[in-house]
Amino acid sequence: MQISTCLCTVLMVTAATLASGASAQDISAKPKLVLQITVDQLRGDLLFRNAAHFGDGGFRYLLDNGLYFTDAHHRHANTETIVGHTTLATGTDPAVHGMVANVWFDRKTGQPNYNVQDGNYALLAHAGIDQSTEIDPTQRAATTDGRSPSAILSSTLSDEIAIGIAGNPKIFAVSVKDRGAISMAGHTGTAYWFSKSEGRFVTSSYYMDAYPDWVDAWNSTGHVLSYADTDWELSDARGSYRFGDMDDMEWETDFPGFGRVFPHPFGPASQKYYTTLLTLSPAGDELTADFAKSLIDNEAIGTDDVTDYLAVSFSSTDYVGHIFGPSSLEAEDNLRRLDRTLSDLLAHVDQKVGLDRTLVVLSADHGAAEVPGYLKSLGIPASYFSFDDIDKREAAETLTREFGAAKELIETFSQPYVYLNEDYLEQNGLEKEDVARTLATELQKMPGIAQAVSSEDLRAGAVAQTTISSAILANFHPERSGDIYVVFESHWFVGDFDGLQVASHHGSPWSYDTFVPLIFAGPGIAPSKVARRVETVDLAPTVAAYLGIKPPSGARGQVLTEVLAGRADN
């Protein structure tokens, strides 16, 4: 049995809408809905690569009818999920919005801090997160089940819509990942995300005291259980896929019970990793879209003259990419299925709101590195890095000679930062700045590390101005960043995360991680492709200008004037 794609409707848009032929009065009117779509780990070239196999209503609608910036990049160094999502939401760098990493080390508590954790706001009506079933190492690092946007230090686009548009606009965000929803909902909206341990969409007490009836109803309908004892099968003939003859590659992660070869079984709903396997497949995005459709219906999104905001963050591309790699048969089929899921969602928006009155914006939180094994098969150098190697290198000798220890100096490495052991430094009378600079110098000598920069040198402006150093500085927050920022060589990354060996990763300032799509489609926006380089910090201020509201409080991006060119009130 194949995964259900829920294609109950086909997206139909009138010729007048496609030609942007609405009257000047219609064009200048505020849209009924801003639909912000984020595809986790959608590297910019993947749309080009797969475009020939897209249908008419999903990505094709945006490619044919949108203003497509084909050379868009994140400008911060740590291209991780929360960093990219919050940058898209705020129009500013992690140095300002504060979300410098998926996990940072909290000096005050001496514990790792998961980006959206907040012990003050518990999950609603839940039995507790079962960490034994959580394979996402960043979520597993959380020290509390509570969640909120409190750690985001800037207002978001959704916040500015709440502030600037009269009539109490409705603001929601949905994702499989908590951080994918919470970052986009901002401080004023409502976020829902998928709990793998509970097999349902949840939220926290930050947003409400009790679930609306429609949420309980959706969670009780059996959508999640409908995949039990079925398989993720190829949606098209194997010969139509670029990677059709690469279904069993040694570099792919062989997740227990899921395997490396199609079909990938979900197994019974009672098995430990059932809901996890859903997120490692197109099913995760299908569930997200179906929940979003129910939200549109039950919260009456876009039904009046007040501009509402809905963010949908699709997470499966990221999970599939980590396990199988972006150049894999699984990643290829997942994107085809996401195209159909997106088509169904846009058709629903067209039916309920009208795409001619909806501003759709699509981008990604980051790109992805190719799997080292795949690159090596093509003759391109690539490898995995392990910090355990520090004991096997000359660095250990230097550090021991100068400071009496090597690994003892390091509290932890939490991508992309090294945090020094301040207690050890104090007990041994060592100056933090001296240790950091020396360790950075020694780390930079190790194979696989391109650059290691101490935070003290960043503060002092003692780092040569390059594209990479500027990206590192854009990521630097004095209270949350570590003592040394580590940039791995191109096509090198840490592959083992607390026992989970991934095939591919992201998080670097290299172009394969920074390159993402950026597309705007809506009233007054003429279809076009723009090849000049733009940055993801430009998204939020551009949408704010389109709506006639002020940009988020920390915004540093530029307004993309091409988006406003067709607005009658521009």
Side-chain angles (χ1 to χ4, degrees):
M1 181 184 295
Q2 292 191 350
I3 291 179
S4 168
T5 53
C6 304
L7 291 180
C8 302
T9 55
V10 177
L11 179 62
M12 299 296 292
V13 184
T14 66
T17 301
L18 294 179
S20 296
S23 68
Q25 182 178 3
D26 291 334
I27 290 174
S28 63
K30 296 292 187 294
K32 288 187 174 183
L33 173 65
V34 175
L35 175 62
Q36 184 164 0
I37 298 169
T38 308
V39 182
D40 204 316
Q41 205 187 115
L42 183 62
R43 198 175 62 205
D45 64 302
L46 295 179
L47 286 183
F48 308 145
R49 179 193 287 185
N50 294 276
H53 296 282
F54 293 150
D56 293 333
F59 289 117
R60 177 60 55 197
Y61 167 75
L62 297 172
L63 293 174
D64 290 348
N65 304 292
L67 180 55
Y68 183 10
F69 292 90
T70 60
D71 192 23
H73 290 261
H74 289 289
R75 70 184 191 186
H76 52 263
N78 187 26
T79 43
E80 290 189 317
T81 297
I82 189 59
V83 190
H85 273 81
T86 313
T87 296
L88 293 169
T90 63
T92 193
D93 303 312
V96 177
H97 64 61
M99 308 304 268
V100 298
N102 280 340
V103 178
W104 61 83
F105 186 73
D106 189 332
R107 293 290 190 188
K108 295 178 181 178
T109 65
Q111 298 289 327
N113 186 89
Y114 176 61
N115 52 88
V116 291
Q117 72 174 51
D118 189 339
N120 294 316
Y121 300 101
L123 295 187
L124 290 187
H126 75 111
I129 293 176
D130 182 0
Q131 292 286 45
S132 69
T133 64
E134 180 56 71
I135 67 167
D136 184 332
T138 58
Q139 287 184 258
R140 200 164 60 237
T143 57
T144 175
D145 293 348
R147 299 288 184 268
S148 86
S150 300
I152 300 175
L153 304 179
S154 167
S155 69
T156 63
L157 173 63
S158 54
D159 292 336
E160 296 301 335
I161 289 174
I163 294 169
I165 293 182
N168 297 318
K170 306 177 189 77
I171 297 171
F172 291 93
V174 180
S175 180
V176 158
K177 295 183 181 179
D178 49 15
R179 56 191 183 272
I182 292 171
S183 54
M184 307 310 285
H187 302 85
T188 58
T190 298
Y192 291 104
W193 57 94
F194 184 67
S195 167
K196 292 188 286 289
S197 63
E198 297 191 32
R200 62 189 181 93
F201 279 89
V202 299
T203 192
S204 79
S205 61
Y206 176 87
Y207 302 101
M208 61 188 71
D209 296 325
Y211 289 106
D213 290 342
W214 72 264
V215 173
D216 288 332
W218 191 95
N219 282 325
S220 300
T221 53
H223 292 289
V224 176
L225 298 178
S226 67
Y227 296 89
D229 298 313
T230 68
D231 303 317
W232 172 16
E233 297 182 358
L234 283 174
S235 54
D236 298 312
R238 185 177 290 266
S240 70
Y241 293 87
R242 174 179 177 176
F243 299 102
D245 60 351
M246 297 175 63
D247 192 18
D248 188 11
M249 309 310 295
E250 62 181 1
W251 52 75
E252 297 176 338
T253 300
D254 188 0
F255 193 85
F258 206 48
R260 300 193 308 216
V261 180
F262 279 100
H264 295 282
F266 296 120
S270 59
Q271 71 105 341
K272 182 177 181 180
Y273 290 109
Y274 171 72
T275 54
T276 295
L277 297 182
L278 297 183
T279 67
L280 302 185
S281 79
D285 287 343
E286 292 171 10
L287 291 170
T288 300
D290 195 83
F291 186 86
K293 287 162 55 180
S294 185
L295 188 155
I296 290 170
D297 295 345
N298 288 280
E299 297 291 351
I301 299 297
T303 57
D304 54 27
D305 292 331
V306 178
T307 300
D308 295 330
Y309 173 89
L310 173 62
V312 182
S313 176
F314 292 111
S315 305
S316 291
T317 303
D318 183 68
Y319 286 128
V320 171
H322 280 301
I323 298 300
F324 300 103
S327 292
S328 65
L329 182 57
E330 285 80 4
E332 195 174 2
D333 188 66
N334 175 73
L335 204 57
R336 291 190 190 186
R337 289 189 178 275
L338 175 57
D339 176 57
R340 298 168 190 179
T341 297
L342 182 58
S343 176
D344 187 50
L345 175 62
L346 291 179
H348 194 79
V349 171
D350 196 32
Q351 179 186 8
K352 297 293 184 177
V353 182
L355 284 173
D356 58 338
R357 296 300 305 274
T358 300
L359 173 63
V360 184
V361 186
L362 181 141
S363 192
D365 54 348
H366 52 74
E370 294 290 349
V371 180
Y374 173 61
L375 292 176
K376 289 178 180 178
S377 74
L378 301 175
I380 300 173
S383 189
Y384 298 101
F385 184 89
S386 173
F387 265 93
D388 291 338
D389 289 345
I390 193 171
D391 276 348
K392 308 171 187 176
R393 302 291 177 182
E394 188 177 311
E397 297 179 12
T398 301
L399 295 169
T400 300
R401 182 174 63 252
E402 295 197 21
F403 305 117
K407 289 186 72 174
E408 293 83 357
L409 298 171
I410 300 174
E411 178 73 44
T412 188
F413 171 73
S414 183
Q415 172 84 17
Y417 292 106
V418 172
Y419 292 82
L420 295 178
N421 186 334
E422 293 185 342
D423 289 341
Y424 184 89
L425 300 185
E426 182 178 355
Q427 292 167 8
N428 290 274
L430 300 174
E431 291 293 332
K432 185 176 182 179
E433 292 78 6
D434 294 339
V435 174
R437 288 194 178 100
T438 301
L439 178 55
T441 299
E442 293 304 314
L443 286 173
Q444 203 159 297
K445 296 176 183 178
M446 296 178 64
I449 294 183
Q451 193 168 353
V453 182
S454 76
S455 292
E456 186 59 32
D457 283 344
L458 285 175
R459 289 188 184 95
V463 181
Q465 290 299 303
T466 66
T467 302
I468 299 299
S469 65
S470 295
I472 295 172
L473 191 59
N475 216 92
F476 177 70
H477 187 277
E479 294 181 6
R480 296 177 180 178
S481 295
D483 300 302
I484 301 169
Y485 192 106
V486 176
V487 178
F488 297 110
E489 294 280 4
S490 178
H491 304 307
W492 282 67
F493 53 85
V494 174
D496 186 283
F497 293 88
D498 297 329
L500 175 66
Q501 182 69 41
V502 298
S504 177
H505 197 44
H506 51 82
S508 81
W510 304 116
S511 63
Y512 50 76
D513 278 342
T514 65
F515 182 31
V516 295
L518 181 57
I519 307 175
F520 300 80
I525 300 177
S528 180
K529 287 184 173 61
V530 179
R532 68 183 177 89
R533 188 179 179 110
V534 299
E535 297 173 327
T536 54
V537 291
D538 300 334
L539 185 154
T542 298
V543 175
Y546 181 94
L547 297 175
I549 61 177
K550 65 183 175 69
S553 59
R556 290 182 172 182
Q558 304 295 315
V559 173
L560 302 173
T561 56
E562 295 92 337
V563 177
L564 307 183
R567 298 287 286 173
D569 56 350
N570 181 37

